């Protein structure tokens, strides 16, 4: 007698991946982010060389200051957790962490040896919730490459690969791309970065994401 064929839906697969080593993933992602910020703010506040102002391009003129862009900017810290949370083996989780760690260390090394800053553009942000705090905590340094964009595109590529593996519908893959684009756009629209920072960040993140899939 033939055994019944058990089909696994993409929803079931995603849920199974999410539950696997849930505590380890939660603690690991939190600790990883915490360690990155220690290094990031140390380099930001203790530059060893004079910072080079990044030049503006026509793209920066096209994109105006948009206070509402703060919200997609802040969602990075939720977005970056999806790809590691959906790894379905400890080995894959470890490999993901090593590549992500290599990306972050490379970015910090660039900031250390080549400090850059966003050129001053006077804006009154007193009337916008969250902007004064953001600019007070994240000073306009560590500009190029934008680690916001680098980490976002690394997450987007790896998350897309997970969605492809489980056979998720096309709409979820398009939403993943749209979320990344919103985060990347927000880095310029909030004036935390210029367009060249974002482009360099995209190249850096892709350089680590693509080989990590192998």
């Amino acid at each position: 007698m033939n055994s019944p064929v058990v089909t696994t839906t993409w929803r079931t697969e995603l849920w199974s991946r999410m539950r696997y080593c849930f505590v380890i993933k939660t603690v690991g992602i939190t600790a990883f982010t915490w360690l990155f910020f220690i290094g990031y703010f140390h380099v930001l506040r203790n530059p060893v060389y004079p910072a080079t102002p990044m030049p503006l391009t026509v793209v920066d003129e096209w994109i105006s200051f948009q206070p509402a862009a703060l919200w997609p900017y802040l969602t990075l810290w939720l977005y970056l957790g999806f790809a590691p949370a959906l790894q379905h083996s400890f080995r894959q989780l470890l490999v993901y962490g090593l590549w992500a760690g290599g990306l972050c260390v490379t970015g910090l090394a660039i900031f250390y040896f080549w400090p850059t800053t966003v050129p001053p553009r006077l804006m009154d942000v007193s009337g916008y919730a969250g902007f004064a705090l953001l600019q007070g905590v994240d000073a306009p340094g560590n500009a190029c490459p934008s680690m916001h964009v680098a980490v976002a595109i690394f997450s987007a590529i790896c998350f897309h690969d997970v969605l492809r593996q489980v056979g998720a519908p096309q709409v979820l893959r398009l939403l993943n791309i749209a979320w990344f684009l919103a985060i990347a756009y927000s880095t310029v629209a909030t004036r935390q970065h210029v367009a060249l920072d974002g482009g360099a960040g995209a190249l850096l993140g892709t350089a680590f994401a693509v080989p990590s899939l192998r």
Side-chain angles (χ1 to χ4, degrees), residues 10-213:
W10 63 269
R11 293 185 182 87
T12 303
E13 178 67 16
L14 287 180
W15 178 241
S16 174
R17 285 168 173 254
M18 182 71 74
R19 288 185 301 159
Y20 178 77
C21 291
F22 179 79
V23 174
I24 293 176
K25 290 174 179 176
T26 302
V27 173
I29 293 169
T30 303
F32 185 96
T33 306
W34 181 67
L35 288 172
F36 170 74
F37 271 120
I38 290 176
Y40 180 88
F41 286 120
H42 176 77
V43 174
L44 177 67
R45 293 166 180 167
N46 301 278
V48 293
Y49 303 107
T52 302
M54 292 299 297
L56 298 174
T57 65
V58 66
V59 177
D60 299 291
E61 300 301 324
W62 288 342
I63 301 176
S64 61
F65 172 61
Q66 299 165 35
L70 177 63
W71 303 112
Y73 185 88
L74 295 176
T75 63
L76 172 69
W77 312 118
L78 171 65
Y79 182 65
L80 62 79
F82 284 111
L86 294 172
Q87 301 302 311
H88 62 83
S89 72
F90 185 79
R91 179 179 180 276
Q92 286 191 340
L93 184 63
L94 180 62
V95 169
Y96 183 96
L98 290 173
W99 280 101
L103 166 62
C104 293
V105 169
T106 301
L108 293 178
I110 293 173
F111 296 150
Y112 182 84
F113 290 106
W114 182 49
T116 50
T117 185
V118 177
R121 286 183 278 178
L122 298 178
M123 299 169 297
D124 182 11
V125 298
S126 59
Y128 304 113
F131 268 94
L133 177 62
L134 176 65
Q135 294 184 350
V137 172
D138 193 3
N142 289 0
C144 187
S146 167
M147 291 306 293
H148 221 77
V149 175
V151 173
I153 200 168
F154 181 91
S155 301
I157 292 172
C158 294
F159 189 27
H160 177 86
D161 187 59
V162 170
L163 295 175
R164 179 191 59 78
Q165 289 178 29
V166 303
Q170 187 70 15
V171 65
L172 288 184
R173 305 184 202 185
L174 293 176
L175 285 173
N176 176 45
I177 295 172
W179 196 344
F180 158 70
L181 291 175
I183 292 173
Y185 179 85
S186 73
T187 61
V188 179
T190 56
R191 297 295 187 255
Q192 289 298 110
H193 288 282
V194 300
L196 289 176
D197 302 338
L203 289 174
L204 177 63
T206 302
F208 279 82
V210 172
S212 78
L213 302 182

